[in-house]
Short mmCIF file of all heavy atoms in Angstrom, two decimals:
data_model
loop_
_atom_site.label_atom_id
_atom_site.label_comp_id
_atom_site.label_asym_id
_atom_site.label_seq_id
_atom_site.Cartn_x
_atom_site.Cartn_y
_atom_site.Cartn_z
N ALA A 1 17.01 133.60 130.22
CA ALA A 1 16.47 132.81 131.47
C ALA A 1 15.41 131.84 131.09
O ALA A 1 15.03 131.09 131.92
CB ALA A 1 15.82 133.89 132.36
N SER A 2 14.96 131.78 129.91
CA SER A 2 13.87 130.89 129.46
C SER A 2 14.45 129.48 129.33
O SER A 2 13.76 128.40 129.34
CB SER A 2 13.18 131.18 128.14
OG SER A 2 14.14 131.18 127.08
N TYR A 3 15.84 129.40 129.27
CA TYR A 3 16.48 128.05 129.12
C TYR A 3 16.75 127.64 130.59
O TYR A 3 17.34 128.44 131.36
CB TYR A 3 17.71 128.05 128.33
CG TYR A 3 17.59 128.51 126.90
CD1 TYR A 3 18.25 129.56 126.33
CD2 TYR A 3 16.78 127.88 126.02
CE1 TYR A 3 18.14 130.03 124.99
CE2 TYR A 3 16.56 128.17 124.78
CZ TYR A 3 17.20 129.31 124.26
OH TYR A 3 17.05 129.73 122.86
N SER A 4 16.55 126.33 130.81
CA SER A 4 16.99 125.79 132.09
C SER A 4 18.51 125.61 132.08
O SER A 4 19.14 125.47 130.87
CB SER A 4 16.34 124.42 132.39
OG SER A 4 16.70 123.56 131.42
N MET A 5 19.15 125.60 133.24
CA MET A 5 20.62 125.48 133.33
C MET A 5 20.91 124.28 134.11
O MET A 5 21.17 124.30 135.30
CB MET A 5 21.32 126.68 133.88
CG MET A 5 22.75 126.64 133.86
SD MET A 5 23.55 126.43 132.16
CE MET A 5 23.51 128.17 131.55
N PRO A 6 20.79 123.11 133.56
CA PRO A 6 21.09 121.76 134.33
C PRO A 6 22.64 121.61 134.38
O PRO A 6 23.28 122.32 133.70
CB PRO A 6 20.39 120.69 133.43
CG PRO A 6 20.53 121.31 132.02
CD PRO A 6 20.43 122.78 132.12
N PRO A 7 23.08 120.64 135.08
CA PRO A 7 24.43 120.24 135.09
C PRO A 7 24.86 119.93 133.58
O PRO A 7 24.15 119.20 132.88
CB PRO A 7 24.59 119.04 135.90
CG PRO A 7 23.38 119.17 136.89
CD PRO A 7 22.31 119.86 136.10
N VAL A 8 25.94 120.36 133.19
CA VAL A 8 26.61 120.08 131.87
C VAL A 8 27.79 119.31 131.96
O VAL A 8 28.74 119.68 132.68
CB VAL A 8 26.84 121.41 131.10
CG1 VAL A 8 27.46 121.15 129.68
CG2 VAL A 8 25.40 122.22 130.86
N ILE A 9 27.95 118.26 131.39
CA ILE A 9 29.12 117.35 131.25
C ILE A 9 29.76 117.52 129.97
O ILE A 9 29.06 117.12 128.96
CB ILE A 9 28.83 115.95 131.64
CG1 ILE A 9 28.25 115.76 132.99
CG2 ILE A 9 30.10 115.10 131.51
CD1 ILE A 9 27.64 114.37 133.33
N VAL A 10 30.97 118.01 129.90
CA VAL A 10 31.70 118.07 128.59
C VAL A 10 32.26 116.70 128.32
O VAL A 10 33.20 116.27 129.07
CB VAL A 10 32.78 119.14 128.70
CG1 VAL A 10 33.56 119.24 127.31
CG2 VAL A 10 32.03 120.56 128.90
N TYR A 11 31.88 116.20 127.27
CA TYR A 11 32.40 114.84 126.84
C TYR A 11 33.24 114.89 125.60
O TYR A 11 32.64 115.14 124.57
CB TYR A 11 31.26 113.84 126.66
CG TYR A 11 31.70 112.35 126.42
CD1 TYR A 11 32.22 111.62 127.48
CD2 TYR A 11 31.62 111.78 125.24
CE1 TYR A 11 32.57 110.31 127.41
CE2 TYR A 11 32.07 110.45 125.05
CZ TYR A 11 32.50 109.72 126.11
OH TYR A 11 32.89 108.47 125.95
N THR A 12 34.51 115.05 125.74
CA THR A 12 35.37 115.30 124.66
C THR A 12 36.52 114.35 124.55
O THR A 12 36.98 113.90 125.69
CB THR A 12 35.77 116.80 124.77
OG1 THR A 12 36.68 117.09 123.68
CG2 THR A 12 36.59 117.07 126.03
N GLY A 13 37.15 114.17 123.36
CA GLY A 13 38.19 113.30 123.17
C GLY A 13 39.53 114.00 123.48
O GLY A 13 40.65 113.38 123.49
N ARG A 14 39.49 115.44 123.63
CA ARG A 14 40.80 116.07 123.97
C ARG A 14 40.81 116.64 125.45
O ARG A 14 39.76 116.94 125.94
CB ARG A 14 40.96 117.25 122.97
CG ARG A 14 39.93 118.32 123.06
CD ARG A 14 40.10 119.42 122.01
NE ARG A 14 39.20 120.43 122.04
CZ ARG A 14 39.23 121.53 122.77
NH1 ARG A 14 40.28 121.73 123.69
NH2 ARG A 14 38.39 122.46 122.68
N GLN A 15 41.99 116.84 125.92
CA GLN A 15 42.11 117.40 127.31
C GLN A 15 41.68 118.85 127.27
O GLN A 15 42.11 119.68 126.41
CB GLN A 15 43.56 117.30 127.69
CG GLN A 15 43.85 117.75 129.18
CD GLN A 15 43.24 116.83 130.17
OE1 GLN A 15 43.39 115.63 130.03
NE2 GLN A 15 42.72 117.39 131.23
N LEU A 16 40.81 119.25 128.28
CA LEU A 16 40.50 120.61 128.36
C LEU A 16 41.64 121.48 128.89
O LEU A 16 42.18 121.14 129.85
CB LEU A 16 39.27 120.80 129.26
CG LEU A 16 37.95 120.15 128.76
CD1 LEU A 16 36.88 120.24 129.84
CD2 LEU A 16 37.50 120.82 127.47
N SER A 17 41.89 122.58 128.33
CA SER A 17 42.95 123.47 128.78
C SER A 17 42.34 124.34 129.89
O SER A 17 41.14 124.49 130.14
CB SER A 17 43.41 124.34 127.66
OG SER A 17 42.43 125.26 127.19
N ALA A 18 43.21 124.96 130.72
CA ALA A 18 42.79 125.71 131.77
C ALA A 18 41.89 126.92 131.13
O ALA A 18 40.99 127.38 131.80
CB ALA A 18 44.01 126.36 132.52
N GLU A 19 42.35 127.52 130.06
CA GLU A 19 41.54 128.48 129.33
C GLU A 19 40.19 128.11 128.93
O GLU A 19 39.19 128.77 129.07
CB GLU A 19 42.31 129.05 128.10
CG GLU A 19 41.58 130.14 127.36
CD GLU A 19 42.38 130.70 126.18
OE1 GLU A 19 43.50 130.20 125.93
OE2 GLU A 19 41.91 131.55 125.43
N ASP A 20 40.05 126.79 128.44
CA ASP A 20 38.74 126.15 128.07
C ASP A 20 37.91 126.17 129.23
O ASP A 20 36.70 126.59 129.27
CB ASP A 20 38.96 124.78 127.53
CG ASP A 20 39.46 124.78 126.20
OD1 ASP A 20 39.13 125.74 125.39
OD2 ASP A 20 40.05 123.78 125.81
N GLU A 21 38.47 125.60 130.46
CA GLU A 21 37.66 125.41 131.65
C GLU A 21 37.20 126.83 132.22
O GLU A 21 36.07 127.03 132.59
CB GLU A 21 38.46 124.73 132.77
CG GLU A 21 38.65 123.32 132.37
CD GLU A 21 38.81 122.36 133.55
OE1 GLU A 21 38.40 122.81 134.60
OE2 GLU A 21 39.21 121.23 133.39
N GLN A 22 38.08 127.80 132.24
CA GLN A 22 37.77 129.19 132.67
C GLN A 22 36.69 129.73 131.90
O GLN A 22 35.71 130.26 132.44
CB GLN A 22 39.00 130.08 132.75
CG GLN A 22 38.75 131.37 133.33
CD GLN A 22 39.96 132.28 133.36
OE1 GLN A 22 41.01 131.91 132.73
NE2 GLN A 22 39.96 133.34 134.10
N GLN A 23 36.75 129.60 130.58
CA GLN A 23 35.69 130.18 129.66
C GLN A 23 34.36 129.51 129.85
O GLN A 23 33.34 130.19 129.87
CB GLN A 23 36.17 130.07 128.13
CG GLN A 23 35.11 130.79 127.26
CD GLN A 23 35.67 130.66 125.74
OE1 GLN A 23 36.79 130.19 125.60
NE2 GLN A 23 34.94 131.27 124.82
N LEU A 24 34.41 128.11 129.97
CA LEU A 24 33.14 127.46 130.21
C LEU A 24 32.55 127.77 131.66
O LEU A 24 31.27 127.94 131.72
CB LEU A 24 33.36 125.91 130.09
CG LEU A 24 33.71 125.39 128.83
CD1 LEU A 24 34.26 123.90 128.95
CD2 LEU A 24 32.45 125.39 127.90
N ARG A 25 33.24 127.94 132.68
CA ARG A 25 32.78 128.09 134.04
C ARG A 25 32.22 129.50 134.20
O ARG A 25 31.44 129.76 135.22
CB ARG A 25 33.90 127.85 135.02
CG ARG A 25 34.24 126.43 135.14
CD ARG A 25 35.30 126.22 136.27
NE ARG A 25 35.94 124.91 136.38
CZ ARG A 25 35.38 123.72 136.65
NH1 ARG A 25 34.08 123.79 137.05
NH2 ARG A 25 36.00 122.65 136.61
N ARG A 26 32.69 130.53 133.41
CA ARG A 26 32.28 131.91 133.83
C ARG A 26 30.76 132.18 133.53
O ARG A 26 30.25 133.16 134.08
CB ARG A 26 33.06 132.83 132.93
CG ARG A 26 32.71 133.05 131.56
CD ARG A 26 33.35 134.31 130.89
NE ARG A 26 32.82 134.55 129.55
CZ ARG A 26 33.52 134.29 128.48
NH1 ARG A 26 34.77 133.78 128.55
NH2 ARG A 26 33.05 134.60 127.30
N HIS A 27 30.03 131.31 132.88
CA HIS A 27 28.65 131.54 132.63
C HIS A 27 27.82 131.27 133.76
O HIS A 27 26.76 131.93 134.15
CB HIS A 27 28.20 130.76 131.33
CG HIS A 27 29.07 131.12 130.19
ND1 HIS A 27 29.08 132.37 129.61
CD2 HIS A 27 29.81 130.41 129.48
CE1 HIS A 27 29.86 132.40 128.56
NE2 HIS A 27 30.44 131.13 128.47
N SER A 28 28.04 130.08 134.50
CA SER A 28 27.18 129.65 135.61
C SER A 28 27.83 128.56 136.34
O SER A 28 28.46 127.73 135.82
CB SER A 28 25.93 129.02 134.95
OG SER A 28 25.21 128.34 135.93
N LYS A 29 27.77 128.71 137.69
CA LYS A 29 28.29 127.69 138.58
C LYS A 29 27.49 126.36 138.43
O LYS A 29 27.86 125.36 139.16
CB LYS A 29 28.37 128.24 139.94
CG LYS A 29 29.54 129.24 140.21
CD LYS A 29 29.67 129.59 141.56
CE LYS A 29 30.98 130.55 141.74
NZ LYS A 29 31.15 130.91 143.14
N SER A 30 26.38 126.46 137.78
CA SER A 30 25.71 125.09 137.56
C SER A 30 26.30 124.26 136.44
O SER A 30 25.88 123.08 136.26
CB SER A 30 24.24 125.40 137.16
OG SER A 30 23.51 126.09 138.16
N ILE A 31 27.32 124.77 135.86
CA ILE A 31 27.99 123.96 134.77
C ILE A 31 29.05 123.18 135.43
O ILE A 31 29.88 123.58 136.12
CB ILE A 31 28.77 124.94 133.71
CG1 ILE A 31 27.56 125.87 133.06
CG2 ILE A 31 29.42 124.17 132.68
CD1 ILE A 31 28.19 126.93 132.20
N ILE A 32 28.87 121.90 135.15
CA ILE A 32 29.83 120.84 135.65
C ILE A 32 30.76 120.46 134.49
O ILE A 32 30.29 119.77 133.60
CB ILE A 32 29.15 119.72 136.27
CG1 ILE A 32 28.07 120.17 137.25
CG2 ILE A 32 30.14 118.66 136.99
CD1 ILE A 32 28.47 120.80 138.41
N ILE A 33 32.11 120.71 134.70
CA ILE A 33 32.90 120.36 133.63
C ILE A 33 33.82 119.13 134.07
O ILE A 33 34.54 119.27 134.96
CB ILE A 33 33.95 121.58 133.26
CG1 ILE A 33 33.12 122.78 132.80
CG2 ILE A 33 34.87 121.11 132.22
CD1 ILE A 33 33.82 123.98 132.83
N LYS A 34 33.51 118.02 133.38
CA LYS A 34 34.20 116.85 133.79
C LYS A 34 35.15 116.34 132.81
O LYS A 34 36.16 115.56 133.22
CB LYS A 34 33.14 115.68 133.96
CG LYS A 34 32.29 115.89 135.23
CD LYS A 34 32.97 115.67 136.42
CE LYS A 34 32.19 115.18 137.54
NZ LYS A 34 32.92 114.75 138.68
N GLY A 35 35.05 116.67 131.62
CA GLY A 35 36.03 116.20 130.56
C GLY A 35 36.16 114.70 130.53
O GLY A 35 37.15 114.07 130.43
N ALA A 36 34.89 114.11 130.59
CA ALA A 36 34.93 112.54 130.62
C ALA A 36 35.54 112.09 129.25
O ALA A 36 35.26 112.54 128.20
CB ALA A 36 33.50 112.09 130.75
N ARG A 37 36.38 110.97 129.41
CA ARG A 37 37.03 110.49 128.20
C ARG A 37 36.86 108.95 128.04
O ARG A 37 37.61 108.29 127.41
CB ARG A 37 38.46 110.89 128.24
CG ARG A 37 38.75 112.35 127.94
CD ARG A 37 40.18 112.72 128.04
NE ARG A 37 40.72 112.46 129.28
CZ ARG A 37 40.65 113.30 130.41
NH1 ARG A 37 39.93 114.44 130.27
NH2 ARG A 37 41.22 112.97 131.56
N SER A 38 35.92 108.33 128.90
CA SER A 38 35.66 106.95 128.78
C SER A 38 34.31 106.65 128.95
O SER A 38 33.53 107.46 129.67
CB SER A 38 36.58 106.14 129.72
OG SER A 38 35.99 106.36 131.00
N PRO A 39 33.67 105.54 128.37
CA PRO A 39 32.25 105.25 128.66
C PRO A 39 31.98 105.09 130.10
O PRO A 39 30.87 105.53 130.57
CB PRO A 39 32.06 104.02 127.87
CG PRO A 39 33.12 104.01 126.77
CD PRO A 39 34.27 104.79 127.44
N GLU A 40 32.81 104.40 130.89
CA GLU A 40 32.57 104.15 132.28
C GLU A 40 32.47 105.43 133.02
O GLU A 40 31.55 105.60 133.88
CB GLU A 40 33.59 103.26 132.90
CG GLU A 40 33.73 101.95 132.22
CD GLU A 40 35.05 101.94 131.40
OE1 GLU A 40 35.32 102.90 130.69
OE2 GLU A 40 35.74 100.96 131.45
N ARG A 41 33.35 106.36 132.79
CA ARG A 41 33.42 107.69 133.51
C ARG A 41 32.23 108.40 133.11
O ARG A 41 31.55 109.09 133.98
CB ARG A 41 34.67 108.44 133.13
CG ARG A 41 35.87 108.05 134.01
CD ARG A 41 36.91 109.20 133.77
NE ARG A 41 36.51 110.41 134.51
CZ ARG A 41 36.99 111.63 134.22
NH1 ARG A 41 37.83 111.72 133.33
NH2 ARG A 41 36.43 112.56 134.91
N LEU A 42 31.76 108.48 131.90
CA LEU A 42 30.52 109.21 131.50
C LEU A 42 29.34 108.59 132.23
O LEU A 42 28.53 109.39 132.69
CB LEU A 42 30.40 109.11 130.00
CG LEU A 42 29.12 109.86 129.51
CD1 LEU A 42 29.16 111.32 129.80
CD2 LEU A 42 28.95 109.76 127.96
#
């Protein structure tokens, strides 16, 4: 709890699988998974 949980943007060169997203999302609904793949989108 000592760590703040801000929005998290995953910036990766590979497509996130459904399993990746499910695993990432289970920790906190404050996690925002965008899978940004271009500078403009980021």
Side-chain angles (χ1 to χ4, degrees):
S2 65
Y3 299 124
S4 65
M5 185 60 82
V8 176
I9 299 171
V10 175
Y11 188 73
T12 178
R14 65 180 177 88
Q15 183 70 39
L16 292 174
S17 68
E19 183 179 356
D20 284 332
E21 292 209 17
Q22 184 177 10
Q23 186 176 357
L24 289 166
R25 289 188 195 282
R26 76 168 186 254
H27 304 298
S28 170
K29 287 189 176 179
S30 296
I31 298 170
I32 311 298
I33 301 166
K34 288 292 211 168
R37 289 178 298 278
S38 75
E40 303 103 318
R41 280 198 63 202
L42 179 61

